[in-house]
Amino acid sequence: MCKDCGCSISHHHHEDSNHHHHHHDHLNPAMEDRKTVEVLTKILDANDRQAQSNREHFEEHNILAINLMSSPGAGKTTLLEKTIELVDGKLKIGVIEGDLETNKDAERIKEKGVPAYQITTGQACHLDAFMVHEGIHHLPLDNLDVIFIENVGNLVCPASYDVGSHLNVVLLSVPEGDDKVAKYPVMFSAADIVLITKIDLLPYFDFSIENVKKDLKRINPKADIILLSTKSGEGMDKWLKYILFKKEMMG
């Protein structure tokens, strides 16, 4: 977990704005310290200001920004690869990749002929608005319609950080189990849409789609749900139509 955002209390603050972190809620007793709370509040405010600046930057270029969040292995990068294939020239896509280490995901995206920039976060378990701002300036904005921000695989921290996207997309894969919405309500309450992935594996797992829908309705009734499989292709047409619709709504 990130040592900078309060997951552990060895918090430090980079004045150069390259690595600002906050959490809304902390169970760590040290988070009750007034000075610590003041620092975290300042970090929160700084991140939110940068996130709004990022959004305005995207909008100046008429770019739809989509933040992809999930646990590790839920299928974010594979979803991006299949999305790029299906778009087939209908949209020009760019990707900002976030991982603790390596540039493997960015290389996979580049192999699809799409510009991608890798952010290696080190110990940080999420992207923040300042990291995304760095990524923005490494992509050809004048030649893009949609930028996907693939967040670090984690169902906790990324939900607390506005990175400047227009949409938050949370992936939940069948092998993870149908209890994750209830167990990680902050993440799923931040979602505009939840993608239930790897549905080709439903026959092999004790996974109830109805349980997921029930929990999501309680936590976030406004969130849409799409069931899909990148392996079989089921549901990918609905996902593509969703993206095209949201881009069209931008004008």
Side-chain angles (χ1 to χ4, degrees):
M1 286 294 188
C2 172
K3 70 177 183 180
D4 299 310
C5 66
C7 296
S8 64
I9 191 52
S10 55
H11 179 87
H12 65 273
H13 181 202
H14 293 246
E15 292 298 332
D16 63 359
S17 298
N18 284 331
H19 207 69
H20 296 258
H21 301 280
H22 78 273
H23 272 300
H24 294 299
D25 300 295
H26 295 276
L27 297 179
N28 193 315
M31 291 295 102
E32 297 178 6
D33 177 76
R34 182 177 60 83
K35 290 184 179 179
T36 302
V37 172
E38 288 176 356
V39 169
L40 292 175
T41 300
K42 289 179 182 178
I43 293 169
L44 163 60
D45 291 342
N47 184 84
D48 287 349
R49 287 194 298 272
Q50 183 60 59
Q52 182 57 32
S53 176
N54 290 352
R55 239 183 316 274
E56 291 171 359
H57 206 83
F58 288 131
E59 289 163 4
E60 286 172 6
H61 294 270
N62 197 30
I63 290 172
L64 174 67
I66 301 175
N67 183 20
L68 296 180
M69 299 181 287
S70 78
S71 62
K76 295 187 299 296
T77 309
T78 302
L79 176 70
L80 284 175
E81 290 175 319
K82 297 299 181 182
T83 301
I84 292 164
E85 292 173 8
L86 287 174
V87 162
D88 193 27
K90 297 183 182 74
L91 292 171
K92 291 172 286 186
I93 292 175
V95 178
I96 296 172
E97 288 282 353
D99 269 312
L100 297 181
E101 297 292 345
T102 82
N103 61 351
K104 290 182 178 179
D105 287 349
E107 292 303 318
R108 285 172 60 180
I109 297 302
K110 288 177 181 177
E111 287 177 3
K112 296 292 182 181
V114 164
Y117 181 73
Q118 182 77 50
I119 297 172
T120 51
T121 64
Q123 294 183 340
C125 51
H126 53 81
L127 294 177
D128 64 23
F130 295 93
M131 297 177 192
V132 171
H133 178 256
E134 176 188 349
I136 288 172
H137 292 285
H138 287 83
L139 293 175
L141 302 187
D142 291 332
N143 195 38
L144 296 177
D145 300 308
V146 178
I147 288 180
F148 286 98
I149 302 162
E150 183 177 345
N151 222 306
V152 178
N154 181 353
L155 277 180
V156 181
C157 303
S160 298
Y161 297 85
D162 184 358
V163 295
S165 61
H166 299 102
L167 294 172
N168 286 328
V169 178
V170 179
L171 282 67
L172 171 62
S173 68
V174 168
E176 293 175 74
D178 57 19
D179 59 351
K180 294 303 177 287
V181 176
K183 285 186 173 181
Y184 299 92
V186 175
M187 173 61 77
F188 288 93
S189 66
D192 295 295
I193 182 168
V194 173
L195 305 182
I196 300 179
T197 62
K198 305 186 182 182
I199 60 169
D200 52 295
L201 297 177
L202 280 170
Y204 311 104
F205 287 88
D206 186 15
F207 185 100
S208 170
I209 293 171
E210 290 308 312
N211 284 349
V212 172
K213 289 180 177 180
K214 180 181 66 177
D215 288 338
L216 190 62
K217 185 176 182 180
R218 175 175 55 84
I219 292 168
N220 184 2
K222 294 183 179 179
D224 296 314
I225 297 179
I226 294 178
L227 282 61
L228 60 80
S229 166
T230 55
K231 187 176 181 66
S232 70
E234 183 178 355
M236 288 298 296
D237 57 335
K238 293 180 181 179
W239 165 237
L240 183 58
K241 286 177 182 177
Y242 180 86
I243 299 168
L244 291 168
F245 173 75
K246 292 298 183 179
K247 180 64 178 78
E248 185 178 340
M249 290 291 289
M250 283 193 70

